[in-house]
Amino acid sequence: MHAAVVADGLCKRYGDTVAVDGVSLAIDEGEVFGLIGPNGAGKTTLVRCLTGTTSYDGTASVFGADPKAAERSRIGLLPQSFSPPERLTARELVDYYAGLYDDARETDAVLRDVGLETDADTWYEKLSGGQQRRACVGITLVNDPDVLFLDEPTTGIDPTGRRGLWRVIEELAAEGTTVFLTSHSMDEVERLSDRVALLADGQIVASGSPAELVGQHGGDPRLVIQTEEGAEALARSGYNVEEGAGEVTLHGINASDIHEAVEALSDAGVEYESFTWTEPTLEEVYLELTGRRFGSERSQRGVVAEDGSAPGTLDPDGGQR
Ligand code: ADP
């Protein structure tokens, strides 16, 4: 396995701002690598360094070459803000960009890759947000790149549009394209990436597969019960209990243990308002490693009231993995 993209001690300053602060990484060919961090963490700057669109200190390479000297036809780049002409159809856009290469792919094949066959003749401005972004991904595919840099491809796109883009990325990955994906959506990188790097203030604070990161830094699955009582009784029953204001947390509760824990509550006569089962996700990893809560996305998998109703929304993917 060869490295497609390598950075070693990469730094980028803008005046007094250190946007990228000593980043080292190696992305294997065929890997989907997800770079996650909040706004201002340095994601776009890192992409710009690795695609040869800005200068930097340290070293970087793409397929063994300096990013500025790398073979352009092997690289696809979807910048975060990219606005193609609105009064061209998806087909015309792909055709136009294909015209920039001697050896471009067939437009129909590209449109198929991004699922725009049936909307190929619709003006860009009339496409939905998700379709527009897929058209932009299509533009990056005209040169049949070996590595694709996607800078926040789904930011601002509605949930249906996001899922459509995810399918496109999954299919590209399945065909062996190396993908460098940036995002500030934890569920997105967790779903799509073989490996993830968490970026904070220009530094990678951890990297590994989502499962490795969650296993090492994410804590345990737990049941949080909204109640004023029951901590002692549950501790006597052998549970690992933490008492907080208006809630009791049982640590180490897997999905299959929830039923038993709820029975233990009833047996002890504990009254509670509702309970929430949470399994660790990359959000907890980020919080653990940076001390900062990440975004607004919920890590909790379900909230159930004592009467069995579910006032909270369940995770759209079904809650349990
Ligand atoms: P992200 O993509 O994670 O939102 P950026 O790479 O855009 O982060 O920005 C990282 C830091 O660098 C931020 O503090 C941002 O304000 C700064 N920055 C980015 N681009 C420039 C620029 N062209 N000039 C000055 N500062 C910049």
Side-chain angles (χ1 to χ4, degrees):
M1 187 75 74
H2 294 101
V5 180
V6 179
D8 192 10
L10 203 149
C11 292
K12 174 71 186 178
R13 279 175 175 277
Y14 295 106
D16 290 340
T17 305
V18 184
V20 174
D21 190 5
V23 163
S24 299
L25 52 81
I27 303 169
D28 288 330
E29 281 185 32
E31 193 172 30
V32 178
F33 187 87
L35 181 71
I36 183 129
N39 282 334
K43 302 183 295 298
T44 294
T45 305
L46 183 55
V47 167
R48 294 192 61 207
C49 295
L50 295 174
T51 52
T53 54
T54 192
S55 59
Y56 53 82
D57 295 320
T59 57
S61 65
V62 178
F63 297 116
D66 182 287
K68 277 194 192 322
E71 212 180 306
R72 301 319 294 173
S73 63
R74 296 191 72 183
I75 301 175
L77 167 62
L78 177 61
Q80 193 183 340
S81 38
F82 176 62
S83 311
E86 304 223 309
R87 291 285 173 102
L88 289 182
T89 66
R91 181 188 305 284
E92 287 166 344
L93 276 172
V94 172
D95 269 344
Y96 172 77
Y97 284 91
L100 303 176
Y101 293 89
D102 293 336
D103 192 17
R105 295 178 60 208
E106 291 285 327
T107 295
D108 282 333
V110 170
L111 291 167
R112 262 199 308 280
D113 277 0
V114 293
L116 282 178
E117 311 95 306
T118 51
D119 300 287
D121 298 314
T122 305
W123 275 351
Y124 182 81
E125 67 175 8
K126 301 276 187 207
L127 296 172
S128 71
Q131 288 173 322
Q132 287 185 341
R133 213 59 182 146
R134 279 191 274 139
C136 294
V137 173
I139 290 170
T140 71
L141 298 178
V142 294
N143 52 312
D144 198 12
D146 294 322
V147 60
L148 193 55
F149 290 87
L150 300 174
D151 194 3
E152 298 198 21
T154 65
T155 296
I157 305 295
D158 65 56
T160 309
R162 292 176 80 208
R163 276 193 280 276
L165 275 155
W166 291 352
R167 277 194 293 277
V168 168
I169 296 167
E170 280 166 348
E171 279 167 24
L172 289 168
E175 286 162 15
T177 306
T178 308
V179 181
F180 185 107
L181 168 79
T182 81
S183 179
H184 52 69
S185 158
M186 288 288 185
D187 57 343
E188 179 164 297
V189 287
E190 206 164 3
R191 171 174 169 151
L192 296 177
S193 310
D194 300 310
R195 265 189 321 135
V196 173
L198 305 183
L199 192 70
D201 299 329
Q203 298 184 342
I204 291 181
V205 293
S207 64
S209 72
E212 279 166 6
L213 291 178
V214 168
Q216 285 164 14
H217 308 285
D220 52 13
R222 69 204 73 155
L223 191 69
V224 183
I225 303 148
Q226 277 69 52
T227 181
E228 301 289 344
E229 57 191 49
E232 281 174 26
L234 288 163
R236 274 199 303 277
S237 308
Y239 285 99
N240 178 1
V241 179
E242 182 188 335
E243 205 172 357
E247 63 183 35
V248 171
T249 300
L250 304 184
H251 288 277
I253 303 291
N254 290 309
S256 56
D257 305 328
I258 297 173
H259 185 67
E260 197 182 309
V262 173
E263 274 187 357
L265 281 170
S266 303
D267 291 350
V270 174
E271 290 194 9
Y272 60 94
E273 291 202 359
S274 63
F275 59 81
T276 308
W277 179 66
T278 311
E279 67 179 340
T281 66
L282 286 177
E283 282 170 61
E284 274 85 36
V285 175
Y286 200 87
L287 177 65
E288 172 70 21
L289 293 175
T290 67
R292 280 178 246 164
R293 193 158 277 292
F294 194 95
S296 59
E297 293 183 33
R298 292 150 53 111
S299 58
Q300 71 190 33
R301 296 302 178 209
V303 182
V304 182
E306 192 171 15
D307 63 6
S309 64
T313 47
L314 279 166
D315 178 60
D317 291 327
Q320 295 171 23
R321 292 179 212 179

Short mmCIF file of all heavy atoms in Angstrom, two decimals, residues 12-15 17-20 35-48 54 80 151-152 182-184 199 201-202, ligand 1:
data_model
loop_
_atom_site.label_atom_id
_atom_site.label_comp_id
_atom_site.label_asym_id
_atom_site.label_seq_id
_atom_site.Cartn_x
_atom_site.Cartn_y
_atom_site.Cartn_z
N LYS A 12 1.08 26.64 8.27
CA LYS A 12 0.67 27.77 7.45
C LYS A 12 0.23 28.91 8.34
O LYS A 12 -0.63 28.74 9.20
CB LYS A 12 -0.50 27.35 6.54
CG LYS A 12 -1.10 28.50 5.75
CD LYS A 12 -0.17 28.97 4.65
CE LYS A 12 -0.70 30.22 3.95
NZ LYS A 12 0.23 30.70 2.92
N ARG A 13 0.86 30.05 8.13
CA ARG A 13 0.51 31.25 8.90
C ARG A 13 -0.12 32.27 7.98
O ARG A 13 0.27 32.41 6.83
CB ARG A 13 1.78 31.92 9.41
CG ARG A 13 2.37 31.33 10.62
CD ARG A 13 3.69 32.03 10.92
NE ARG A 13 4.21 31.54 12.17
CZ ARG A 13 3.86 31.99 13.36
NH1 ARG A 13 3.01 32.99 13.46
NH2 ARG A 13 4.35 31.47 14.46
N TYR A 14 -1.07 33.01 8.52
CA TYR A 14 -1.56 34.23 7.88
C TYR A 14 -1.26 35.34 8.87
O TYR A 14 -1.98 35.47 9.86
CB TYR A 14 -3.06 34.18 7.62
CG TYR A 14 -3.51 33.12 6.64
CD1 TYR A 14 -4.15 31.97 7.08
CD2 TYR A 14 -3.31 33.29 5.27
CE1 TYR A 14 -4.59 31.02 6.18
CE2 TYR A 14 -3.75 32.34 4.36
CZ TYR A 14 -4.38 31.21 4.82
OH TYR A 14 -4.81 30.26 3.93
N GLY A 15 -0.23 36.09 8.67
CA GLY A 15 0.14 37.12 9.65
C GLY A 15 0.38 36.47 11.00
O GLY A 15 1.18 35.54 11.12
N THR A 17 -1.89 34.78 12.60
CA THR A 17 -2.74 33.59 12.76
C THR A 17 -2.01 32.34 12.26
O THR A 17 -1.54 32.31 11.12
CB THR A 17 -4.05 33.74 11.93
OG1 THR A 17 -4.68 34.95 12.32
CG2 THR A 17 -4.98 32.57 12.13
N VAL A 18 -1.91 31.35 13.13
CA VAL A 18 -1.34 30.06 12.71
C VAL A 18 -2.53 29.18 12.33
O VAL A 18 -3.23 28.65 13.18
CB VAL A 18 -0.53 29.41 13.84
CG1 VAL A 18 0.14 28.14 13.33
CG2 VAL A 18 0.52 30.39 14.36
N ALA A 19 -2.79 29.06 11.04
CA ALA A 19 -3.98 28.32 10.58
C ALA A 19 -3.73 26.82 10.61
O ALA A 19 -4.63 26.05 10.95
CB ALA A 19 -4.36 28.77 9.17
N VAL A 20 -2.53 26.40 10.24
CA VAL A 20 -2.15 24.99 10.31
C VAL A 20 -0.85 24.93 11.09
O VAL A 20 0.11 25.62 10.77
CB VAL A 20 -1.98 24.38 8.90
CG1 VAL A 20 -1.45 22.95 8.99
CG2 VAL A 20 -3.30 24.40 8.13
N LEU A 35 -11.30 14.63 7.76
CA LEU A 35 -10.71 15.65 8.63
C LEU A 35 -11.84 16.44 9.25
O LEU A 35 -12.62 17.07 8.53
CB LEU A 35 -9.81 16.57 7.80
CG LEU A 35 -9.10 17.67 8.59
CD1 LEU A 35 -7.99 17.08 9.47
CD2 LEU A 35 -8.50 18.70 7.62
N ILE A 36 -11.93 16.38 10.56
CA ILE A 36 -13.06 17.04 11.21
C ILE A 36 -12.60 18.09 12.20
O ILE A 36 -11.61 17.91 12.90
CB ILE A 36 -13.97 15.98 11.89
CG1 ILE A 36 -15.18 16.63 12.52
CG2 ILE A 36 -13.24 15.17 12.94
CD1 ILE A 36 -16.43 16.00 12.13
N GLY A 37 -13.31 19.19 12.19
CA GLY A 37 -12.98 20.27 13.13
C GLY A 37 -13.99 21.38 12.96
O GLY A 37 -14.62 21.49 11.90
N PRO A 38 -14.17 22.20 13.99
CA PRO A 38 -15.13 23.29 13.88
C PRO A 38 -14.65 24.38 12.92
O PRO A 38 -13.50 24.33 12.45
CB PRO A 38 -15.21 23.83 15.33
CG PRO A 38 -13.91 23.46 15.94
CD PRO A 38 -13.45 22.19 15.27
N ASN A 39 -15.50 25.35 12.65
CA ASN A 39 -15.10 26.46 11.79
C ASN A 39 -13.85 27.13 12.34
O ASN A 39 -13.74 27.33 13.54
CB ASN A 39 -16.22 27.51 11.71
CG ASN A 39 -17.32 27.06 10.78
OD1 ASN A 39 -17.07 26.27 9.87
ND2 ASN A 39 -18.52 27.55 11.01
N GLY A 40 -12.93 27.41 11.46
CA GLY A 40 -11.71 28.10 11.86
C GLY A 40 -10.61 27.16 12.34
O GLY A 40 -9.51 27.62 12.68
N ALA A 41 -10.87 25.84 12.35
CA ALA A 41 -9.86 24.89 12.84
C ALA A 41 -8.67 24.78 11.90
O ALA A 41 -7.57 24.39 12.32
CB ALA A 41 -10.49 23.50 13.04
N GLY A 42 -8.88 25.11 10.62
CA GLY A 42 -7.76 25.04 9.67
C GLY A 42 -7.97 24.03 8.55
O GLY A 42 -7.03 23.76 7.79
N LYS A 43 -9.18 23.51 8.41
CA LYS A 43 -9.44 22.45 7.42
C LYS A 43 -9.19 22.94 5.99
O LYS A 43 -8.46 22.30 5.23
CB LYS A 43 -10.89 21.96 7.55
CG LYS A 43 -11.24 21.42 8.93
CD LYS A 43 -12.66 20.89 8.99
CE LYS A 43 -13.75 21.93 8.79
NZ LYS A 43 -13.76 23.00 9.81
N THR A 44 -9.80 24.07 5.65
CA THR A 44 -9.66 24.57 4.27
C THR A 44 -8.21 24.92 3.98
O THR A 44 -7.69 24.63 2.90
CB THR A 44 -10.56 25.81 4.07
OG1 THR A 44 -11.92 25.38 4.17
CG2 THR A 44 -10.34 26.46 2.72
N THR A 45 -7.54 25.50 4.96
CA THR A 45 -6.13 25.87 4.74
C THR A 45 -5.29 24.62 4.48
O THR A 45 -4.44 24.61 3.58
CB THR A 45 -5.59 26.63 5.97
OG1 THR A 45 -6.44 27.74 6.23
CG2 THR A 45 -4.18 27.11 5.72
N LEU A 46 -5.56 23.55 5.24
CA LEU A 46 -4.81 22.30 5.04
C LEU A 46 -5.08 21.75 3.64
O LEU A 46 -4.15 21.32 2.94
CB LEU A 46 -5.18 21.29 6.13
CG LEU A 46 -4.43 19.96 6.11
CD1 LEU A 46 -2.92 20.17 6.15
CD2 LEU A 46 -4.86 19.09 7.29
N VAL A 47 -6.35 21.77 3.22
CA VAL A 47 -6.68 21.30 1.87
C VAL A 47 -5.94 22.15 0.83
O VAL A 47 -5.39 21.62 -0.14
CB VAL A 47 -8.22 21.36 1.62
CG1 VAL A 47 -8.54 21.18 0.14
CG2 VAL A 47 -8.92 20.29 2.45
N ARG A 48 -5.90 23.45 1.06
CA ARG A 48 -5.22 24.32 0.09
C ARG A 48 -3.73 23.99 0.03
O ARG A 48 -3.13 23.97 -1.05
CB ARG A 48 -5.45 25.79 0.45
CG ARG A 48 -6.93 26.20 0.31
CD ARG A 48 -7.10 27.69 0.37
NE ARG A 48 -6.36 28.34 -0.70
CZ ARG A 48 -5.89 29.57 -0.65
NH1 ARG A 48 -6.06 30.30 0.45
NH2 ARG A 48 -5.23 30.08 -1.66
N THR A 54 -1.79 26.98 -2.09
CA THR A 54 -1.19 28.00 -1.24
C THR A 54 0.19 27.50 -0.79
O THR A 54 0.47 26.30 -0.85
CB THR A 54 -2.08 28.33 -0.02
OG1 THR A 54 -1.59 29.51 0.62
CG2 THR A 54 -2.11 27.21 1.01
N GLN A 80 -14.61 24.52 -0.82
CA GLN A 80 -15.79 24.72 0.03
C GLN A 80 -16.79 25.67 -0.65
O GLN A 80 -17.97 25.39 -0.69
CB GLN A 80 -15.34 25.30 1.36
CG GLN A 80 -16.43 25.25 2.39
CD GLN A 80 -15.97 25.89 3.67
OE1 GLN A 80 -14.77 26.03 3.92
NE2 GLN A 80 -16.91 26.28 4.49
N ASP A 151 -13.94 19.54 0.18
CA ASP A 151 -13.91 20.43 1.34
C ASP A 151 -15.34 20.78 1.75
O ASP A 151 -16.02 21.55 1.08
CB ASP A 151 -13.11 21.70 0.98
CG ASP A 151 -12.75 22.51 2.23
OD1 ASP A 151 -13.06 22.08 3.34
OD2 ASP A 151 -12.14 23.60 2.06
N GLU A 152 -15.76 20.20 2.84
CA GLU A 152 -17.12 20.38 3.38
C GLU A 152 -18.18 20.23 2.29
O GLU A 152 -18.96 21.15 2.03
CB GLU A 152 -17.24 21.73 4.09
CG GLU A 152 -16.31 21.81 5.27
CD GLU A 152 -16.69 22.91 6.26
OE1 GLU A 152 -17.85 23.35 6.25
OE2 GLU A 152 -15.81 23.30 7.04
N THR A 182 -13.30 16.88 4.23
CA THR A 182 -13.37 17.67 5.46
C THR A 182 -14.83 17.91 5.79
O THR A 182 -15.69 17.91 4.92
CB THR A 182 -12.68 19.05 5.35
OG1 THR A 182 -13.56 19.96 4.71
CG2 THR A 182 -11.37 18.96 4.60
N SER A 183 -15.08 18.08 7.08
CA SER A 183 -16.47 18.21 7.50
C SER A 183 -16.50 18.80 8.90
O SER A 183 -15.53 18.69 9.65
CB SER A 183 -17.11 16.81 7.52
OG SER A 183 -18.44 16.88 7.95
N HIS A 184 -17.63 19.44 9.25
CA HIS A 184 -17.82 19.67 10.68
C HIS A 184 -19.02 18.89 11.18
O HIS A 184 -19.62 19.22 12.19
CB HIS A 184 -17.85 21.15 11.07
CG HIS A 184 -18.80 22.00 10.30
ND1 HIS A 184 -20.15 21.89 10.41
CD2 HIS A 184 -18.56 22.98 9.41
CE1 HIS A 184 -20.72 22.78 9.62
NE2 HIS A 184 -19.77 23.44 8.98
N LEU A 199 -9.19 17.90 14.17
CA LEU A 199 -8.36 19.09 14.05
C LEU A 199 -8.89 20.17 15.00
O LEU A 199 -10.08 20.46 15.01
CB LEU A 199 -8.42 19.59 12.60
CG LEU A 199 -7.42 20.65 12.18
CD1 LEU A 199 -6.01 20.06 12.10
CD2 LEU A 199 -7.78 21.22 10.80
N ASP A 201 -7.56 24.10 16.36
CA ASP A 201 -6.57 25.17 16.30
C ASP A 201 -5.35 24.79 15.44
O ASP A 201 -4.21 25.00 15.84
CB ASP A 201 -6.09 25.54 17.72
CG ASP A 201 -7.23 26.05 18.57
OD1 ASP A 201 -8.16 26.66 18.00
OD2 ASP A 201 -7.21 25.83 19.80
N GLY A 202 -5.63 24.19 14.29
CA GLY A 202 -4.57 23.89 13.34
C GLY A 202 -3.75 22.66 13.67
O GLY A 202 -2.79 22.34 12.96
P1 ADP B 1 -11.80 25.90 8.55
O1 ADP B 1 -11.75 25.47 7.11
O2 ADP B 1 -11.55 24.78 9.50
O3 ADP B 1 -13.04 26.65 8.87
P2 ADP B 1 -9.77 27.80 7.77
O4 ADP B 1 -8.65 27.01 7.20
O5 ADP B 1 -10.70 28.46 6.81
O6 ADP B 1 -10.58 26.89 8.81
O7 ADP B 1 -9.19 28.93 8.72
C1 ADP B 1 -8.21 28.67 9.73
C2 ADP B 1 -7.75 29.99 10.32
O8 ADP B 1 -7.03 30.72 9.35
C3 ADP B 1 -8.89 30.88 10.75
O9 ADP B 1 -8.47 31.58 11.90
C4 ADP B 1 -9.06 31.82 9.58
O10 ADP B 1 -9.59 33.06 10.00
C5 ADP B 1 -7.63 31.96 9.09
N1 ADP B 1 -7.57 32.21 7.64
C6 ADP B 1 -7.98 31.36 6.68
N2 ADP B 1 -7.74 31.87 5.45
C7 ADP B 1 -7.17 33.08 5.65
C8 ADP B 1 -6.69 34.10 4.77
N3 ADP B 1 -6.74 33.96 3.44
N4 ADP B 1 -6.16 35.21 5.34
C9 ADP B 1 -6.10 35.34 6.68
N5 ADP B 1 -6.52 34.42 7.56
C10 ADP B 1 -7.06 33.29 7.06
#
